[in-house]
Amino acid sequence: MAPICSLLFLLLVLPRSTSTAALSKSKPPARYRHHRLRATPLSPDPIARADAAQPLFATASDEASILELDPHDTGNASTVRLLVAHREAFAAPNATAAELLAQRLARDAARAEAISVSVSVSVPAAAARNVTRGGAAGAGFTAPVVSGLALGSGEYFASVGVGTPPTPALLVLDTGSDVVWLQCEPCRRCYAQSGRVFDPRRSRSYAAVPCGAPPCRGLDAGGGGGCDRRRGTCLYQVAYGDGSVTAGDLATETLSFGRGARVPRVAVGCGHDNEGLFVASAGLLGLGRGRLSLPTQTARRYGRSFSYCLVDRTSSSSLNHPSSAPRSSTLTFGAGAVPGRASFTPMVSNPRMATFYYVRVVGFSVGGARVRGVRERDLRLDPSTGRGGVILDSGTSVTRLARPVYAAVREAFRAAAGGLRLAPGGFSLFDTCYDLRGRRVVKVPTVSVHLASGAEVALPPENYLIPVDTRGTFCLALAGTDGGVSIVGNIQQQGFRVVFDGDKQRVALVPKSC
């Protein structure tokens, strides 16, 4: 009897045990890490112009107190800061947030394509072999940085004084180019800008550069140039990949920054013929790694380190709060540019494209889990061809990833965001969008970027899931590219102190340091 009972017992228990074993081998439901995102759609109201809110330029009455130079000040402050603002802080009349976003993405696509083309040409850059090494930075300077979102551009502006006495100028912050230039009188062909156009005839510190001088020879690496044989002075010309062009005289001039700091004899282009996609800015502040960039020109005195913090494009005067005053942050050079505590990653050099700042990205995480299918070789720079790799670019808005990498990150995000309702059709270059209408706060998967040397950049949700219309559609702000280079854009950089430590050849993105 006992053996029969034992057999019946086994028959009853065995199927259940087999089933349990089978279940134990199956994958348990994934548990993802999430952020809480405040789902505020774009405002339907026209964006307020910067001049209708708090002015970013000094008026005639207070210009002296803000920008006039102290005759006893030699500019040797330990740190100098420039304000930084987004371009949309200077809105076109009656422009809506949706219209500006569409313009911004179109401009952004042109810039990303231009970068891909420039890298694919693979022309060796002499500037890579002629970088001035700075010693210990005993001084520094800083400029305000403001957002230019209201003009339909993803670019940011730095506020700088040009000349003696200084003329206030908003210059596009650009780590992807080298030449510093601005529009100048007499203007043969110029676009509309915020503030008055710089007139070199009214500056006591303006000096034309002779044809044989080193800055003129530096144009071979940082742009195009020539010589006015009659005057014996240097000419410059820079053509950008989106069709924009600037041309004029190369000169040296004094640039003024916060707290009376000034940098004399900076080589700048004085542009008399300028056309293309330059809107509202007075010109461009080249922050690349070439010979004529501002960091290289100031390296002997301040070292080769600088950092910036980009204001949230949707804050204050931008998309969600169109009637508020523009917010700003800073661009910092010298001793105060590098924070005491930061997780650095090595700066990578491309011998065939010396201007750009490359970093080594080794992976991504979504929802707290490492994304499978992201192969490091798809993100690695090939120094023999100059193709591949990942650059940090202040002028590109949307991060572009090599197509296989983007596909893997996108699918991981979709899986982790399964509780959100997908919006059909996508938007512009975005193919992963969600319908969040009627929801104030939603849980979204975390996204992190893993860099070489163990550095990890955990992105805030506002940096990768952005509103694209007034109805509550939000899109994953990433895109794929077949252009041969991946780009970390400024949407993903916003809110971080982005540090370029050229003296030690390293980069950091420091959160909550603005």
Side-chain angles (χ1 to χ4, degrees), residues 73 106 114 126 129 196 219 224 272 283 371 376 399 478 481 485 507 509:
D73 182 8
R129 302 186 296 275
R196 68 176 183 267
L219 286 171
H272 303 292
V371 177
E376 189 179 343
T399 290
L478 305 173
T481 180
V485 62
V507 175
L509 283 84

Side-chain angles (χ1 to χ4, degrees), residues 88-134:
E88 290 188 14
F90 309 92
N94 300 319
T96 65
E99 293 169 346
L100 295 174
L101 180 61
Q103 295 171 25
R104 176 187 186 188
L105 293 177
R107 293 167 61 91
D108 198 54
R111 179 182 177 90
E113 176 65 21
I115 291 175
S116 295
V117 169
S118 67
V119 170
S120 65
V121 171
S122 297
V123 177
R129 302 186 296 275
N130 291 278
V131 173
T132 302
R133 288 286 179 180

Side-chain angles (χ1 to χ4, degrees), residues 23-34 367 415-416:
L23 286 174
S24 67
K25 291 181 181 179
S26 65
K27 208 170 184 180
R31 293 186 178 180
Y32 299 104
R33 295 178 186 172
H34 291 86

Side-chain angles (χ1 to χ4, degrees), residues 267-322:
V268 300
C270 198
H272 303 292
D273 291 277
N274 317 286
E275 61 177 338
L277 299 180
F278 310 117
V279 181
S281 71
L284 188 142
L285 194 66
L287 299 175
R289 302 170 78 175
R291 249 188 282 186
L292 288 180
S293 73
L294 187 61
T296 301
Q297 290 195 64
T298 60
R300 290 189 184 276
R301 184 174 182 182
Y302 301 106
R304 289 191 52 79
S305 298
F306 71 96
S307 65
Y308 58 73
C309 187
L310 305 180
V311 293
D312 182 352
R313 72 198 181 284
T314 62
S315 63
S316 291
S317 67
S318 54
L319 302 184
N320 298 62
H321 308 278

